[in-house]
Amino acid sequence: MRLNVYHFNEESIGLEAAELHTDSGLLTVLLEGEIGGLEILDQTGKFVAVHPQPGTFLVFMGDVGKHRVVCTQAAPRVSIAFGVLSQRDGMVEPQAPLVDEQHPRLYRSFLYDDYRKLGDTTNLQDGNALSLLRADE
């Protein structure tokens, strides 16, 4: 679990507080405060603001969810992230009922530890190693 506190001031408005990255765990459950500033990278390469909704959590699926934090106002920004790790020998794959003609697999099945090693040996970090595991290749 991690508590993130950003002390934003007038001079930091518009600046990145956390550069584009992914979370290295299997998934991250995030509770955000009301300040905002979280942006995700969509499939077209455009940043999209995520507006906090009271009483909700945001879930990032490991290296699939590229995101950053940008200062939007001069106020403290607080978020709490809870990271969930897979077993080193845990298989990462979608459940069969979630895959059909309208929702095809995007990636081949892989062992979590093998994926972490792939990122290290290819020097592809922050989700870029996923491109080597595309289901259509």
Side-chain angles (χ1 to χ4, degrees):
M1 183 176 290
R2 172 180 286 171
L3 175 65
N4 300 304
V5 180
Y6 302 90
H7 299 283
F8 293 147
N9 55 41
E10 291 293 330
E11 294 78 33
S12 60
I13 293 176
L15 300 177
E16 282 187 351
E19 63 185 21
L20 180 63
H21 68 282
T22 61
D23 297 334
S24 61
L26 182 62
L27 60 90
T28 300
V29 179
L30 183 68
L31 176 63
E32 285 210 281
E34 300 174 5
I35 298 301
L38 178 65
E39 296 181 344
I40 60 170
L41 192 65
D42 72 10
Q43 293 177 340
T44 68
K46 179 180 175 185
F47 285 104
V48 178
V50 177
H51 302 288
Q53 301 296 314
T56 64
F57 293 95
L58 179 67
V59 178
F60 287 106
M61 299 296 293
D63 280 339
V64 175
K66 292 187 178 183
H67 57 285
R68 70 179 183 180
V69 176
V70 175
C71 175
T72 58
Q73 59 182 295
R77 180 186 185 277
V78 177
S79 66
I80 301 171
F82 178 75
V84 179
L85 300 176
S86 174
Q87 292 179 322
R88 294 175 65 94
D89 61 349
M91 183 63 68
V92 179
E93 61 186 344
Q95 297 297 305
L98 300 176
V99 179
D100 58 27
E101 287 186 25
Q102 290 79 27
H103 306 94
R105 291 180 70 113
L106 298 178
Y107 304 97
R108 298 188 306 263
S109 299
F110 55 88
L111 292 174
Y112 179 78
D113 198 43
D114 290 346
Y115 175 70
R116 302 284 6 128
K117 290 175 186 173
L118 179 64
D120 292 341
T121 59
T122 60
N123 214 16
L124 294 172
Q125 303 298 320
D126 291 334
N128 294 318
L130 279 175
S131 65
L132 301 176
L133 299 170
R134 299 275 314 170
D136 55 0
E137 295 177 3

